[in-house]
């Protein structure tokens, strides 16, 4: 009888402990689900892309240094302007999504393609016919841009493919979630831009020698 009583006590403890563990995991899953829903409810303007891209721009200005200060000024100009136009265009589309102005995945994809085309157009032309840049500075940017795009164009093509993949994916249940994932992609691309700049530097030898950019001789 005593052994039966002990066995019953042990079984009760096991069952009670198991139930407690199950209850704990259920509680944790509910908590995580609530946190996920809360995150989804955040406006896209609070997506990490915007803060982190600001940090990248700040780091470009303060920590991106080269021995040749003329080259440094050129690359800072290109990288800063490209990330800046990312922010401007993506901020606008994020506002539209937060207002539920993009109704389905097709519209989201088409709008993002329009945005990406505007970004590329700006990237290639922001300095042309711009009174802030002398003719010589425009020539310098033309030279560097051609080499920069040899590396960067692959990233842009890949970004286009990934945006299409996200918009067509059945795993992202709402357009807002898809838009948030696309912002993640742009954040990754912003980081890759720095690598593209480094590769471009390695392919520029005497191409810019003697030119003046922002009053600095290259």
């Amino acid at each position: 009888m005593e052994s039966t009583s002990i066995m019953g006590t042990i079984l009760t403890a096991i069952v009670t402990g198991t139930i407690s563990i199950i209850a704990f995991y259920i509680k944790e899953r509910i908590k995580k689900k609530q946190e996920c829903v809360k995150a989804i409810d955040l406006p896209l303007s609070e997506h990490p892309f915007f803060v982190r891209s600001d940090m990248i721009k700040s780091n470009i200005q303060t920590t991106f240094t080269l021995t040749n200060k003329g080259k440094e000024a050129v690359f800072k100009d290109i990288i800063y302007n490209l990330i800046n136009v990312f922010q401007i265009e993506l901020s606008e589309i994020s506002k539209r999504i937060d207002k539920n102005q993009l109704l389905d995945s097709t519209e989201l994809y088409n709008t993002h393609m329009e945005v990406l085309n505007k970004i590329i157009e700006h990237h290639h032309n922001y300095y042309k016919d711009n009174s802030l840049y002398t003719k010589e500075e425009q020539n310098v940017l033309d030279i560097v841009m051609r080499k920069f795009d040899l590396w960067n164009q692959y990233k842009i093509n890949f970004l286009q493919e990934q945006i299409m993949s996200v918009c067509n994916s059945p795993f992202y249940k709402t357009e807002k979630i898809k838009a948030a994932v696309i912002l993640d992609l742009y954040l990754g691309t912003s980081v890759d831009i720095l690598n593209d700049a480094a590769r471009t530097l390695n392919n520029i030898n005497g191409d810019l020698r003697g030119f003046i950019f922002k009053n600095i001789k290259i």
Side-chain angles (χ1 to χ4, degrees), residues 92-217:
E92 288 302 311
I93 192 173
S94 295
K95 289 175 185 175
R96 291 181 61 190
I97 293 166
D98 283 334
K99 293 177 181 177
N100 297 316
Q101 292 178 353
L102 299 180
L103 302 178
D104 57 34
S105 295
T106 300
E107 193 173 4
L108 180 67
Y109 171 75
N110 289 338
T111 304
H112 261 292
M113 288 302 98
E114 291 172 9
V115 165
L116 188 54
N117 287 335
K118 286 173 69 176
I119 288 171
I120 294 168
E121 178 73 15
H122 174 87
H123 168 60
H124 287 139
N125 296 290
Y126 75 90
Y127 57 90
K128 296 178 180 178
D129 299 320
N130 186 334
S131 60
L132 296 176
Y133 297 88
T134 67
K135 186 63 179 175
E136 185 173 16
E137 288 169 345
Q138 291 177 34
N139 289 338
V140 168
L141 287 167
D142 277 338
I143 293 168
V144 176
M145 198 70 79
R146 282 194 294 270
K147 297 204 172 189
F148 179 75
D149 283 344
L150 291 175
W151 302 104
N152 187 243
Q153 188 58 49
Y154 165 77
K155 302 293 192 322
I156 297 300
N157 292 341
F158 183 71
L159 180 60
Q160 288 177 318
E161 293 171 4
Q162 291 302 301
I163 290 173
M164 178 183 287
S165 177
V166 169
C167 289
N168 290 333
S169 174
F171 294 102
Y172 306 116
K173 298 301 182 183
T174 69
E175 308 327 309
K176 188 169 183 178
I177 293 174
K178 291 178 180 181
V181 174
I182 291 170
L183 286 174
D184 288 335
L185 295 175
Y186 271 100
L187 181 57
T189 302
S190 298
V191 174
D192 281 342
I193 286 169
L194 302 179
N195 296 326
D196 295 335
R199 293 188 182 100
T200 305
L201 275 169
N202 292 333
N203 283 274
I204 291 180
N205 299 310
D207 307 67
L208 305 178
R209 188 168 297 156
F211 281 103
I212 304 293
F213 191 85
K214 301 300 181 184
N215 298 318
I216 305 170
K217 188 173 182 178

